Amino acid sequence: MFEGGTRVPGFVHSPILPKSFKTDVLLHVSDWFPTILRIAGATSEEVRKLNLDGVDHYETFFSPDSNTRGPRKDMVYNIRMEDNIPVGAVRKGWWKY
């Protein structure tokens, strides 16, 4: 079961981010939308009420000492049916099942 881009380098450049910030938290592309909403001024409650698939990582970027592991704890990979049997994988923390 391939992970489809998990644990690959990525970068974001912005003058509002701390200089030389680096993290290894688990982050999915769907997490960018709720995070950008927070950066744009939405409250965490407003973002939570939208019931988005992504996880807000605002604190990861702007208060890195308060949340060293990041808010995303799990991820589902490639769920599909093969001969009427669901096939896929789930990541819990750094373990993949």
Side-chain angles (χ1 to χ4, degrees):
M1 177 61 57
F2 295 108
E3 298 183 53
T6 302
R7 295 188 285 172
V8 297
F11 72 93
V12 175
H13 174 73
S14 172
I16 66 172
L17 288 174
K19 298 232 185 279
S20 301
F21 174 74
K22 183 178 178 182
T23 184
D24 65 352
V25 300
L26 188 61
L27 191 139
H28 188 268
V29 68
S30 65
D31 300 338
W32 284 113
F33 184 55
T35 304
I36 290 169
L37 287 175
R38 286 287 310 282
I39 293 168
T43 65
S44 59
E45 184 60 32
E46 290 170 329
V47 172
R48 222 180 348 268
K49 284 181 181 179
L50 293 173
N51 199 26
L52 300 168
D53 289 336
V55 177
D56 173 17
H57 281 267
Y58 182 88
E59 299 298 325
T60 301
F61 295 113
F62 295 101
S63 299
D65 295 334
S66 67
N67 197 357
T68 58
R69 297 304 295 161
R72 180 173 285 283
K73 306 298 183 216
D74 50 19
M75 196 176 304
V76 178
Y77 295 105
N78 306 323
I79 301 298
R80 65 184 183 282
M81 298 298 285
E82 289 184 8
D83 298 323
N84 290 326
I85 299 170
V87 177
V90 175
R91 175 171 292 286
K92 295 292 261 177
W94 297 112
W95 294 92
K96 184 172 69 171
Y97 305 97

